[in-house]
Structures are given as structure tokens and as C-alpha cells.
Amino acid sequence: MNITIDREILLENLNVISRGLPAKSPMPILTGIKFEATDSDLYLTSSNTDISVEVLINDVSLEITEPGKTVVPGKFFIEIIRKINSKKVNLYLIDDKILVIRADRGEYKLHIMDYMDYPNVDFVCLENPLKLDAQILKKIIKETVFATAASEKKPILTGVNFKNEGGKLIATATDSFRLSQKIISIEDYNDFNITIPNKSLDELLKAIDLYDDELSLYFSNNKLLIKYKNVLFQTRLLDGNYPPTSKLIPNEFPIIIKFNKDELVDAVERVSLLSPRDKERDKEITYSIIKLSIKKDRIIEISSTNASIGDAKEEIIPTNVEASNPITIGFSSRYLLEALRSFMSTEVSLNLSGEIRPFVITGENDANLTQLILPVRMN
């Protein structure tokens, strides 16, 4: 193999390919990037247990003197290409053992990996795609993925559930203590019900960060393939049935409090500085329990009590309150802050149905986004 290519073009594609590289792997070969140069095109492939990525490069700057195949150490190769400053990069093999990287007056040599050891990556058949705008998919991921479970105790909850019901795409994430749901209208398409791992969605979000055009989604029984530009991004799907969540969302809210979102965020951040934190295995988990109370004069008080540090209390004036009786409700400030930051609206509503019943957050300009938080019992 002997190729020359514009460094910026190569680096741009390597940044996408890096999404499929594992930090560690029981199969060392998967820490490499597979190169396959044909007479006219260059294919790069990376894969781990969750994600497989392939890019096709046929840029005008690509010159293939000699076709060939190889696998190069991914991390080191990307770092070298990122650090060098030359406009063009020449890559060629010596005795099928060494990859030489020539850049201006610099020369770097990497021991290559055995191409035959690289597993065959089976990409989903490119038929019958669902077309989706990249901006919409990015928005769905940002507004839901944070609510997935971090623990593997219930593996299905570590992903976001995507379900198509009669032209409505419903994306749902929950860790059993909170829930995020986004609903959008899509084109006429077959019904589906899949759950995508949160790590895959995080990597996909990074991969399409600068892409704002249309995506094509291809489905199989256990994989989802997203195609855009010259990229194939494939993720495995989580096994199992996602729990029914529609009944968790209350239908009636006797108490509705509206806030300026930024004012509420700032107040919660300040009060939660002194809130109690749970600890597990000496690692602090910031559940940060705080209380919200409606006073008789309809002023809202946010407070926290920490026996070992001190207390915090702050009053905030809502834009509107609909409530017949005073109420106090306790919850995780981290959950509330993450939920609030998912909204584009400047005004948000906290919709309460009781001190120990889940409450729902909605935004005036986010009609299809619902955030739900389960309160904690207060002594």
C-alpha cells in the first residue's frame, strides 16, 4: 500500500473513525484502524463491541500509487496525524511489517497489525431507509440520553428507546428515578421499537456534531446503521423489552408553578452547594437532595439541610402559581438541573400532583418534550 492524501481530509475522517475505537479491548486487533486502498478509493474501518464505523475516502487529494490492506495502531496513528503540520501525508508499507508516515521533512514508523486477524464487520443491508434531519436527531439525543441508567443492573435502561407509532417517533429514557421523553412527527414508515445504548448515542452525537443535513437510518433485528456523507455508523441494539412508561406520567396537575428557567437554575445551583450527598464506595454521587416549598404568599422557597456542613435557603419569585394549598416536595437537584438544561424555553413549568408523586417539567416552547422526576420522601 502506498497512498498520498491531504492531511486535513485524513484527519477529518480519522476523527469520525475514532468513535469506534475501544479504550481497551480483549481483542488487541480492535484497537487498530483497518485501511483498505483500492485502485481509486480508501476505506477506513474501526469497531468495538458496541459500534462499528466505516468511512469511504475518494477526495481529489487522494493518490493511490499502490493498493493494499493493513491495520495500524489507532491511537498512535491518529495522534501523529493530529500533531504534524504538513499539507500532504504519504503512507506506505515496508515488507508488510512497517507503516511509514512521511510528512514534509518528518518520518514516522509504526509496527502494523495482522490484517487477517481483523474480524469481518457485517454492516446492515442498505435498503428501505428512514430519512431524518441530523439536527432533529442531535436534539433528541441531547434531550434524553442523560436520563439513562449508569448502572448495568438493568441493562435495557442504559439505552434510549426509540419507538414509531403511527408516524410519531417517541424517544424515551429512564433510570427508574426520572424520565425524559421526546415526541416528533416522522414520515410514513414501518413501526419499530428499538433501544440504543447510551454510549453509542454519545459517540454518534460527537460524530455528527458538525453535520446538519439528512441522515439515513437502516434497521435490522439487532443493529442500527446510520449513513451520512461518506460514513457508515453502526451500533448494536440492546436486547429485551423496554418497560412501559406511558402510565408513569400523571394526567392531572393541581399545582402548576412557572419559572424563568435561568433564574430557577441559578437558585438551585446555589442551594445545592450545601445539600446532602450520598456516597458509594467512597465515590461521591451528587444526588443533592433539596426541598421546594410553596408558602402562603405563593413565594417559592428552595432549601437544603446538611447536618455536617450547614443549611441553605433561597426565595424565588415564580412567574405564575396555580395552587390551592401549601406543599413541600423533595428531589435531586442534579436531576432537576439536567432536566431544565434540556429545554430551549425561557419559561418552564413544574407540574405537581402531590408530595410523593412524580412531577413533570414542561417548557412553553418545547411542546413535545417532557421531563419527569420522582420525588424523595421528606422526614
Side-chain angles (χ1 to χ4, degrees):
M1 186 184 81
N2 189 332
I3 64 173
T4 302
I5 189 172
D6 186 281
R7 171 191 165 273
E8 289 294 331
I9 296 296
L10 179 59
L11 184 58
E12 177 185 331
N13 285 279
L14 287 174
N15 286 335
V16 175
I17 278 293
S18 68
R19 302 295 134 212
L21 287 175
K24 294 185 293 185
S25 174
M27 295 178 63
I29 190 68
L30 292 183
T31 63
I33 299 171
K34 184 172 77 171
F35 277 66
E36 183 172 353
T38 66
D39 291 332
S40 57
D41 302 316
L42 176 63
Y43 292 86
L44 306 181
T45 306
S46 64
S47 185
N48 59 43
T49 54
D50 289 329
I51 300 168
S52 297
V53 185
E54 181 179 275
V55 299
L56 164 62
I57 304 175
N58 54 10
D59 186 75
V60 292
S61 72
L62 176 63
E63 301 174 17
I64 301 176
T65 306
E66 182 180 345
K69 303 174 182 179
T70 190
V71 178
V72 304
K75 177 183 175 182
F76 295 103
F77 181 77
I78 292 174
E79 283 303 309
I80 290 171
I81 301 302
R82 185 172 287 141
K83 296 292 185 182
I84 59 180
N85 293 319
S86 65
K87 180 172 176 56
K88 294 274 189 177
V89 177
N90 177 222
L91 310 173
Y92 61 92
L93 296 178
I94 299 177
D95 298 330
D96 287 332
K97 293 180 180 180
I98 302 290
L99 175 74
V100 180
I101 306 167
R102 292 188 63 87
D104 286 342
R105 288 174 291 180
E107 182 177 280
Y108 307 84
K109 295 181 179 179
L110 286 176
H111 294 281
I112 63 173
M113 308 164 87
D114 191 342
Y115 180 87
M116 298 302 293
D117 288 341
Y118 202 91
N120 181 48
V121 179
D122 182 22
F123 285 97
V124 172
C125 183
L126 300 181
E127 293 181 358
N128 188 30
L130 169 65
K131 302 288 188 178
L132 200 61
D133 186 87
Q135 290 281 36
I136 291 175
L137 183 56
K138 285 189 277 189
K139 195 170 178 60
I140 291 173
I141 296 171
K142 290 176 182 177
E143 293 173 348
T144 59
V145 72
F146 66 86
T148 56
S151 169
E152 296 282 348
K153 291 178 182 178
K154 294 182 180 178
I156 195 70
L157 298 186
T158 62
V160 177
N161 180 251
F162 286 75
K163 180 168 58 175
N164 179 31
E165 289 185 346
K168 294 288 186 182
L169 176 59
I170 305 169
T172 306
T174 181
D175 61 3
S176 297
F177 301 103
R178 57 175 167 178
L179 178 143
S180 177
Q181 187 175 86
K182 176 79 170 183
I183 303 175
I184 64 165
S185 297
I186 59 173
E187 64 182 59
D188 185 28
Y189 194 78
N190 300 332
D191 286 355
F192 57 81
N193 190 334
I194 62 173
T195 305
I196 307 173
N198 50 21
K199 292 178 182 177
S200 297
L201 291 172
D202 287 337
E203 295 302 333
L204 175 61
L205 191 59
K206 295 172 187 174
I208 63 175
D209 180 47
L210 301 177
Y211 183 74
D212 294 324
D213 210 337
E214 195 174 60
L215 302 160
S216 295
L217 280 64
Y218 301 87
F219 300 83
S220 75
N221 290 333
N222 57 1
K223 296 175 187 175
L224 171 68
L225 174 66
I226 298 100
K227 184 180 186 301
Y228 66 100
K229 292 196 306 183
N230 62 325
V231 181
L232 299 180
F233 184 105
Q234 182 168 274
T235 172
R236 74 177 178 94
L237 301 176
L238 293 174
D239 294 328
N241 296 320
Y242 201 81
T245 56
S246 58
K247 294 181 180 179
L248 296 176
I249 303 174
N251 296 318
E252 296 181 356
F253 303 101
I255 301 169
I256 300 175
I257 317 169
K258 295 184 178 181
F259 294 94
N260 175 285
K261 185 186 75 173
D262 292 339
E263 289 181 4
L264 180 58
V265 166
D266 290 344
V268 171
E269 284 182 333
R270 289 189 293 266
V271 170
S272 64
L273 290 173
L274 297 184
S275 59
R277 288 164 166 78
D278 290 343
K279 290 187 177 181
E280 182 180 317
R281 296 179 184 175
D282 298 325
K283 291 184 179 179
E284 195 169 44
I285 302 174
T286 54
Y287 291 140
S288 304
I289 305 303
I290 63 172
K291 292 189 293 184
L292 182 147
S293 303
I294 303 177
K295 300 301 183 182
K296 292 181 180 180
D297 55 4
R298 297 198 173 186
I299 297 294
I300 305 302
E301 181 183 278
I302 302 172
S303 62
S304 64
T305 302
N306 190 323
S308 60
I309 300 176
D311 303 333
K313 180 173 67 176
E314 189 161 330
E315 291 184 345
I316 181 171
I317 300 174
T319 56
N320 189 55
V321 177
E322 297 177 20
S324 55
N325 298 305
I327 188 175
T328 297
I329 187 169
F331 50 85
S332 161
S333 66
R334 178 167 68 89
Y335 286 178
L336 178 61
L337 289 171
E338 289 178 345
L340 290 173
R341 290 178 180 131
S342 71
F343 289 95
M344 297 296 292
S345 304
T346 55
E347 185 179 76
V348 294
S349 297
L350 268 60
N351 307 282
L352 286 68
S353 55
E355 293 186 348
I356 58 173
R357 295 200 66 199
F359 66 93
V360 170
I361 309 162
T362 54
E364 58 175 347
N365 297 322
D366 297 89
N368 299 317
L369 176 62
T370 301
Q371 301 288 353
L372 176 146
I373 296 174
L374 192 68
V376 297
R377 292 183 179 273
M378 305 302 294
N379 294 329

